[in-house]
Amino acid sequence: MSRTKNISIFLITIILFSVFGYMGAELVHGQTLSWGSQGEDVTLMQTRLRNWGFYDGPISGIFGQQTYDAVVRFQRANGLAADGIVGPQTRVAIGLPTRTGGTTTPASRGVSRSDDVHLLARTIHSESRGEPYEGQVAVGAVILNRVRSPQFPNTLAGVVYQPCAFEPVKNGAINQEPGESAYRAARDALNGWDPTGGALYFWNPATATSPWIWTRRITLRIGRHVFGV
Amino acid sequence: MNWRRYTLPIALGLALLVSIGWGAHQYNQKIDYHTYLDLQFQRQFYELIGHVKNAQVDLAKAMVAGSTTDTAKYLNDTVYQSYMAQNKLTQLPLDHLAIRRVEKFLSQLGDYSTAMVNKSLDGVVLTDDEMGTLTDLHSYVNLLAQELIVLQQQIVKDGVNFGDLRRNANRNLQALNKRMETFNGLINMEERMQEYPELIYDGPFSEHMTDRKSRLTGKEIDEKQAIDVLRNTIKEDLTNIEIAGDVQNTVFTGYYIRAQKPGNRNGDNISAVVTRQGGKLLWYINPRIINQSRLDKDEAIEIAQQFLNDTGYEHMVPTYTIAYEGQILINFAYKQDNVIVYPDLIKVKVALDNGEIIGYEAHGFLMSHHERDIPDPEISEEQAMERLSSAVEVENVRLVIIPTAGDHELLCYEFRVTFGEDRFLIYIDAKTGDERKILLMVEQEDGTLVI
């Protein structure tokens, strides 16, 4: 009897730990900054608040009394609820990144582009695994050309997640972790390499089902893919 | 004894009950998700209609507004509404190929309005032609709004299920096409739009920018000469060089060349394109694995500079660099009469392990380079500096030419300034003294990025 009891206590402890562990992880990556928060976002916020004259303490990366007061002053001045907690609205008002995300990209990788690189690399990986390297760069370039084109959404996420546009988005293959060459290809595409010369479409002649796609003018063939405008 | 006989049936019966329960639960969950998805799509559809209607109203207001500031205000709203409408439309599970012209129209409406906003903000009254274009656009967007409202009524009546639409799209095209009949209004709209001429304007993302002509001159070369160009530019051992294809229907047509490089991992072939006209290397990629870095930034820049000189590009100055994963990307711009010409851009990538050139991209340079007739600035450096905010500290100033939307170029003073902890580049028009652009420089250990 006492043995089953021990086991249940043990199990309950494990369950509780995993629940708290999960919540803990949520807090670290969550969006709300408040008294006691630390990290890059706090540094960024302190810098902004100091530039705007709300804060005159040190840029310490630690949310303390002075930071709290500064946040309250900032919230009052901007018509936000002056609670000293940096929730989603205050976050936007201060101009902090609104998605901290579960993946921790190294801080030295550039601010606005690290998200882009990741999403682009995943798309490239799922669309053109096993293709020659420049074929992967080309797929990345097509996606970026679409972002620039008036016929498609104006953001990378808009283009990638556009319904009926990419097969891997439909079947979820896009969520796989990209390989190293997909990352390099994504960076090369973002840095301006475009093997396709401005193509907006690519397809695999062996599997393409839509007759419409053949009305496009072909610019180049690389590996199994055909690129066109 | 008796109960042994029943153990198995009871166990199986229980298992059956459990799986039925589980199945029912899963089914309900599926219905839930399906409904949720459907509602999300419905919401986007209604929002789309809302944005199109608002764009129509704002555009009408902009045309009757009395002052240029009011015009700018309403056009600004039009820009926002049309981009939002396009955003919603592209997220609906409609066959995006069938409605791409509608998408393009919404985007162009936004672009054109942006261009007109900028004019109005400068206090310029719109010309009759521009007003005419706005009127045309207005009649379009009006038509689109009406079409969408009809569609909305149909959907309410027939109860189109967007979730089903998506599912059928996954299964087969036939079923999708049948479903799409409901959206005939939108597709007819598409046909009617074909009758309208293409818009000509100076907005960003505009179509005609992709129809630009290159300034490249020279004789057409053949395949053999193209391979020689690659060999002479990339002075490295290349084996199995082959013409792997043709680049067509682009600004630069050319030969697509692949080759093996001794020492590269199997499959890591190098590739390049040499233009047919003039025989210039357009781009080059060597995707080899890079080992531990042994060079620093300055050494890499020197190597890249030497490479450009050897290739025949003189007066190129390094502007910005970014290093990642053992390689460094260096942007070079052309310098004429002490003015940095940013549109004439060549990018060179150097491997930091042995200083090999592993990437090259000259699209910008080949596209726009010519000897320019650079005018003298009409305002002095001091006058330009007075346009800056008094809060910034100027570190450096130089004359540059920057590209602007619509293939134009502007002579500007480039001020490198600090404000607080951040550094910015501010561009002041050397002719009018207007502030043209502000870039935030994000400096990192591995290079400088401008946003």
Side-chain angles (χ1 to χ4, degrees):
Chain A
M1 191 63 202
S2 86
R3 208 177 143 168
T4 26
K5 209 170 167 185
N6 278 345
I7 288 176
S8 6
I9 289 173
F10 178 67
L11 279 178
I12 288 171
T13 325
I14 285 188
I15 290 169
L16 282 182
F17 262 105
S18 48
V19 168
F20 283 127
Y22 179 69
M23 283 169 67
E26 279 292 283
L27 284 178
V28 172
H29 295 301
Q31 303 205 339
T32 306
L33 300 177
S34 59
W35 197 300
S37 296
Q38 294 189 9
E40 236 180 25
D41 277 1
V42 179
T43 313
L44 191 60
M45 180 178 77
Q46 286 172 334
T47 317
R48 296 260 159 88
L49 290 176
R50 192 165 77 168
N51 289 345
W52 295 333
F54 292 100
Y55 179 67
D56 51 13
I59 308 290
S60 58
I62 302 166
F63 199 122
Q65 177 70 50
Q66 280 176 303
T67 316
Y68 176 86
D69 292 343
V71 169
V72 169
R73 273 195 293 274
F74 173 80
Q75 286 173 327
R76 257 192 220 121
N78 286 280
L80 298 157
D83 54 7
I85 295 168
V86 183
Q89 280 180 320
T90 313
R91 202 167 237 284
V92 171
I94 296 180
L96 293 179
T98 44
R99 262 181 306 147
T100 42
T103 49
T104 45
T105 32
S108 66
R109 282 273 174 90
V111 273
S112 71
R113 275 172 156 202
S114 58
D115 278 3
D116 287 357
V117 170
H118 197 69
L119 180 57
L120 193 59
R122 280 198 324 219
T123 318
I124 291 173
H125 180 73
S126 59
E127 278 286 357
S128 60
R129 217 170 329 159
E131 289 291 305
Y133 179 77
E134 71 273 20
Q136 301 187 17
V137 178
V139 166
V142 166
I143 292 163
L144 294 174
N145 288 339
R146 285 191 176 188
V147 176
R148 281 180 219 116
S149 161
Q151 298 176 26
F152 293 91
N154 288 340
T155 61
L156 186 61
V159 167
V160 169
Y161 291 112
Q162 188 173 21
C164 309
F166 296 107
E167 190 66 32
V169 174
K170 233 154 52 180
N171 62 26
I174 189 167
N175 293 323
Q176 290 166 8
E177 190 52 32
E180 160 266 353
S181 76
Y183 266 107
R184 270 193 295 148
R187 283 183 186 282
D188 277 341
L190 279 169
N191 283 329
W193 267 264
D194 180 4
T196 69
L200 290 174
Y201 301 92
F202 65 90
W203 64 97
N204 183 339
T207 58
T209 47
S210 161
W212 179 88
I213 198 76
W214 288 103
T215 64
R216 306 289 87 203
R217 284 179 298 147
I218 293 173
T219 61
L220 186 63
R221 279 169 199 270
I222 304 177
R224 288 195 306 261
H225 282 140
V226 174
F227 296 83
V229 285
Chain B
M1 195 66 193
N2 222 355
W3 53 312
R4 286 239 164 132
R5 251 175 72 192
Y6 291 114
T7 322
L8 191 63
I10 287 174
L12 284 176
L14 279 176
L16 184 66
L17 279 180
V18 168
S19 49
I20 288 175
W22 182 75
H25 177 70
Q26 289 291 308
Y27 180 73
N28 283 336
Q29 216 168 33
K30 195 207 91 172
I31 298 280
D32 272 1
Y33 285 135
H34 194 273
T35 315
Y36 174 76
L37 191 66
D38 190 40
L39 292 178
Q40 291 297 317
F41 285 140
Q42 302 268 11
R43 195 198 75 201
Q44 285 189 340
F45 187 69
Y46 285 112
E47 284 179 352
L48 162 70
I49 298 175
H51 289 306
V52 171
K53 279 191 205 160
N54 287 343
Q56 190 255 109
V57 172
D58 287 330
L59 193 53
K61 283 183 189 168
M63 288 191 294
V64 298
S67 69
T68 51
T69 38
D70 281 347
T71 309
K73 200 172 80 192
Y74 289 119
L75 282 174
N76 222 347
D77 292 342
T78 315
V79 173
Y80 171 76
Q81 297 293 348
S82 48
Y83 284 154
M84 286 305 282
Q86 199 233 13
N87 186 326
K88 301 289 178 225
L89 181 61
T90 50
Q91 295 310 315
L92 284 173
L94 306 173
D95 185 357
H96 73 283
L97 306 174
I99 51 168
R100 71 187 194 288
R101 218 173 239 102
V102 180
E103 288 171 13
K104 188 171 128 188
F105 163 69
L106 288 171
S107 178
Q108 287 190 320
L109 174 64
D111 291 351
Y112 192 76
S113 304
T114 308
M116 294 304 111
V117 168
N118 291 338
K119 273 200 144 173
S120 304
L121 281 179
D122 290 342
V124 179
V125 180
L126 304 186
T127 64
D128 285 350
D129 275 359
E130 285 159 346
M131 275 313 233
T133 311
L134 283 183
T135 317
D136 281 352
L137 285 173
H138 182 253
S139 67
Y140 262 131
V141 73
N142 209 355
L143 201 68
L144 181 61
Q146 283 167 10
E147 220 47 92
L148 284 170
I149 291 166
V150 172
L151 200 54
Q152 180 187 24
Q153 285 160 352
Q154 256 175 22
I155 287 175
V156 170
K157 209 174 82 208
D158 304 341
V160 166
N161 194 323
F162 281 100
D164 276 350
L165 201 61
R166 203 199 99 82
R167 206 168 44 174
N168 285 329
N170 282 351
R171 285 215 186 114
N172 63 55
L173 269 149
Q174 214 60 43
L176 176 73
N177 284 342
K178 228 173 162 186
R179 286 275 168 181
M180 286 293 285
E181 272 168 27
T182 322
F183 292 91
N184 261 343
L186 220 51
I187 294 165
N188 291 343
M189 176 77 199
E190 162 111 4
E191 275 162 19
R192 246 177 286 175
M193 281 191 165
Q194 288 178 346
E195 294 159 19
Y196 284 78
E198 292 279 321
L199 286 172
I200 308 281
Y201 58 91
D202 284 351
F205 313 115
S206 56
E207 188 100 331
H208 76 272
M209 304 238 335
T210 55
D211 296 335
R212 286 169 58 183
K213 295 272 178 296
S214 81
R215 293 182 183 272
L216 204 54
T217 52
K219 274 198 199 119
E220 293 219 348
I221 60 161
D222 63 22
E223 296 188 354
K224 219 177 137 287
Q225 287 168 310
I227 289 175
D228 287 343
V229 167
L230 178 63
R231 270 189 203 280
N232 294 337
T233 318
I234 307 294
K235 293 184 184 65
E236 288 170 31
D237 300 338
L238 298 174
T239 56
N240 291 340
I241 304 189
E242 50 157 2
I243 302 281
D246 258 347
V247 185
Q248 302 157 355
N249 297 318
T250 56
V251 182
F252 298 109
T253 58
Y255 303 101
Y256 168 48
I257 306 172
R258 304 193 82 198
Q260 282 170 359
K261 192 166 179 308
N264 272 20
R265 196 176 54 173
N266 203 15
D268 279 351
N269 292 324
I270 70 107
S271 49
V273 164
V274 174
T275 61
R276 183 167 288 130
Q277 185 159 40
K280 298 279 182 200
L281 183 61
L282 183 61
W283 59 262
Y284 166 79
I285 297 180
N286 177 358
R288 75 168 169 88
I289 301 291
I290 293 155
N291 300 316
Q292 207 187 340
S293 302
R294 292 177 204 284
L295 299 171
D296 66 18
K297 184 176 135 186
D298 295 334
E299 289 168 310
I301 290 178
E302 204 171 303
I303 290 170
Q305 183 93 59
Q306 190 57 47
F307 172 77
L308 286 180
N309 284 345
D310 293 348
T311 313
Y313 293 107
E314 285 173 343
H315 311 295
M316 301 299 289
V317 289
T319 54
Y320 296 99
T321 61
I322 182 154
Y324 53 92
E325 286 152 26
Q327 39 189 293
I328 185 166
L329 174 73
I330 306 152
N331 284 5
F332 285 90
Y334 185 69
K335 192 171 184 179
Q336 183 190 339
D337 312 335
N338 245 348
V339 176
I340 306 281
V341 184
Y342 280 120
D344 295 2
L345 171 77
I346 296 182
K347 296 172 184 174
V348 181
K349 212 162 67 168
V350 179
L352 288 172
D353 53 356
N354 64 358
E356 194 182 3
I357 306 292
I358 53 168
Y360 176 84
E361 205 268 345
H363 198 272
F365 189 93
L366 297 181
M367 191 76 164
S368 60
H369 177 67
H370 58 289
E371 278 304 305
R372 291 167 176 78
D373 196 8
I374 301 178
D376 286 333
E378 287 180 26
I379 63 168
S380 70
E381 205 174 290
E382 287 71 32
Q383 283 170 319
M385 204 176 298
E386 274 170 27
R387 303 287 175 141
L388 302 177
S389 152
S390 57
V392 303
E393 244 173 81
V394 177
E395 282 186 352
N396 182 10
V397 57
R398 59 183 177 182
L399 270 174
V400 300
I401 288 179
I402 59 169
T404 63
D407 200 13
H408 293 303
E409 295 180 344
L410 283 176
L411 181 66
C412 289
Y413 286 102
E414 179 188 67
F415 289 94
R416 184 194 289 246
V417 305
T418 52
F419 176 71
E421 312 246 303
D422 292 322
R423 297 168 97 187
F424 295 86
L425 292 172
I426 300 179
Y427 295 88
I428 304 288
D429 196 318
K431 193 175 166 194
T432 62
D434 291 335
E435 194 172 81
R436 291 294 179 180
K437 206 176 232 173
I438 299 182
L439 296 173
L440 170 63
M441 296 171 76
V442 183
E443 291 184 39
Q444 306 158 343
E445 275 172 54
D446 50 9
T448 310
L449 192 70
V450 285
I451 299 176

